[in-house]
Amino acid sequence: MAWMSTGLLRVCTFLLLLILFLPCEMMSSVLTVNGKTEDFTLDTQPGALESLECAVQNHIEAEELLWYRNEGRVDLQAGNKINSSSVCVSSITENDDGVSFTCRLQRNHTVSVSVVLNVTFAPLLSGNDFQTVEENSDVNLVCNVKSNPQAQMMWYKEDSIINLEKDHHRIQQTSEFLQLSISKVKKSDNGTYRCVATSPLKMETKDFHLVVKDKTARVPIEPIIAACVVVFLTLCFGVIARRNKILKLFLKEKDSQKETAL
């Protein structure tokens, strides 16, 4: 009988501990952003307005929330911090592509949910669209591009795909620019070059004008400077070599003036 009472007491003790501690594990705070508990990507467009709602689930006490834009903390009003918090991303631009917003528990920064903006936009092209070069010099035509999704890039000349010549043309491409390098330009390189960017959203073009002028004859500066130095040094040495004679003539003229005065 005593054995049974002891066993029953142990079972009751175990059940009591289970009741006390199990809810703490079962009801640990969980964050959601726009109803999602995991990090996610938010598709959006330039000019759009996006609202991000962060909320604490299963909390047993008031929880303060923090928002971060990339690594910088977002200032929140006093009534927008406890148990739920929202941020509004307005006037979204192409530069917001890839920016992340993260909601965190103030007491435990490891509890967080992040949102990465995926801003889709048509290609934006830029670059120096007018260049004048001399024959036999080198030139680079650089077409800068921003696009999401990434655009396919091509160079055209006078509405035709460029016929690349070995050791004369070279094309270099990254996700940010398309560059056409021309070595030892010729008169035939003169004309309008067109940068074409094609994405699933739209095709964009930009014209680059190249003017090739005759090579001008340049007067060599170095020989002229060297000749001037030689002439100057020659004059200096001549003056130094004849300084005694010049000094005697000066003294003789001075004595003559004194005798005239007497």
Side-chain angles (χ1 to χ4, degrees), residues 73-93:
R73 186 168 168 177
V74 178
D75 292 331
L76 299 174
Q77 295 182 355
N80 189 28
K81 295 181 179 180
I82 307 301
N83 295 336
S84 66
S85 178
S86 63
V87 295
C88 183
V89 188
S90 60
S91 300
I92 290 174
T93 70

Side-chain angles (χ1 to χ4, degrees), residues 60-164:
I60 56 177
E61 59 182 358
E63 296 280 7
E64 183 177 348
L65 298 173
L66 306 175
W67 273 104
Y68 289 83
R69 177 188 169 101
N70 290 336
E71 300 302 321
R73 186 168 168 177
V74 178
D75 292 331
L76 299 174
Q77 295 182 355
N80 189 28
K81 295 181 179 180
I82 307 301
N83 295 336
S84 66
S85 178
S86 63
V87 295
C88 183
V89 188
S90 60
S91 300
I92 290 174
T93 70
E94 295 82 3
N95 295 328
D96 292 319
D97 183 42
V99 171
S100 66
F101 288 86
T102 303
C103 180
R104 291 192 175 106
L105 280 183
Q106 193 278 334
R107 66 175 177 84
N108 184 359
H109 286 195
T110 61
V111 180
S112 65
V113 177
S114 293
V115 184
V116 178
L117 299 183
N118 180 41
V119 185
T120 57
F121 54 94
L124 301 174
L125 304 180
S126 63
N128 183 5
D129 53 11
F130 189 89
Q131 293 191 63
T132 301
V133 296
E134 292 185 355
E135 275 188 288
N136 211 37
S137 60
D138 299 336
V139 67
N140 294 322
L141 303 179
V142 183
C143 180
N144 301 305
V145 59
K146 289 183 65 176
S147 179
N148 185 27
Q150 186 173 341
Q152 298 294 321
M153 307 286 291
M154 289 287 291
W155 276 112
Y156 288 76
K157 183 186 178 187
E158 312 296 350
D159 297 325
S160 299
I161 296 177
I162 295 178
N163 182 23
L164 300 179

Side-chain angles (χ1 to χ4, degrees), residues 5-48:
S5 298
T6 303
L8 184 59
L9 180 62
R10 289 178 178 176
V11 172
C12 291
T13 303
F14 173 76
L15 292 175
L16 179 61
L17 292 174
L18 186 63
I19 293 171
L20 290 174
F21 291 103
L22 185 59
C24 295
E25 296 297 325
M26 296 289 292
M27 299 182 66
S28 59
S29 296
V30 176
L31 285 184
T32 63
V33 173
N34 290 7
K36 299 180 180 181
T37 58
E38 301 291 336
D39 298 346
F40 66 97
T41 299
L42 180 63
D43 294 331
T44 186
Q45 296 177 345

